[in-house]
Amino acid sequence: KKYDDLYGRDSEMATPPQMRKIEVLWKYVTKIKDPAKQKAGLRKFIKNKFKVDDIRFMSKSKASRVIAVLEKIKLNKELKAI
């Protein structure tokens, strides 16, 4: 699985499942269709909102905050669709 090579690093860093969840949530909430542009958009979002250059450099606590924000965006998107 993606990011599994990062298991065993500092315990304060984001876990592979957190990073995968961030990417899945981003794919759901973004309007960007092109995969390369989606990745660039995610990096820009994380840099602007959370001051981290890439999800690989994110702490567990910051990853949890990113997930919470993306889940809130997802919920709002779903509620607007009703």
Side-chain angles (χ1 to χ4, degrees):
K1 290 182 179 177
K2 191 171 184 181
Y3 302 119
D4 277 356
D5 60 316
L6 298 177
Y7 274 117
R9 66 185 185 152
D10 188 330
S11 63
E12 295 297 314
M13 299 302 286
T15 65
Q18 283 179 309
M19 291 184 275
R20 288 191 293 266
K21 184 164 187 157
I22 289 169
E23 287 187 340
V24 167
L25 287 168
W26 179 253
K27 285 179 185 176
Y28 185 84
V29 302
T30 189
K31 294 177 182 175
I32 304 167
K33 300 299 178 203
D34 178 76
K37 290 181 181 178
Q38 272 184 2
K39 188 173 182 177
L42 175 58
R43 287 185 69 148
K44 185 175 180 180
F45 172 77
I46 290 172
K47 177 71 173 174
N48 289 341
K49 301 290 185 191
F50 299 95
K51 308 301 183 227
V52 177
D53 289 323
D54 190 83
I55 58 177
R56 291 176 177 261
F57 308 136
M58 194 175 292
S59 67
K60 273 186 187 175
S61 62
K62 201 162 276 197
S64 293
R65 289 190 301 219
V66 172
I67 289 168
V69 167
L70 290 173
E71 285 178 337
K72 186 173 182 177
I73 294 169
K74 179 180 182 255
L75 179 62
N76 287 340
K77 184 176 179 179
E78 289 169 347
L79 290 174
K80 285 181 184 177
I82 294 176

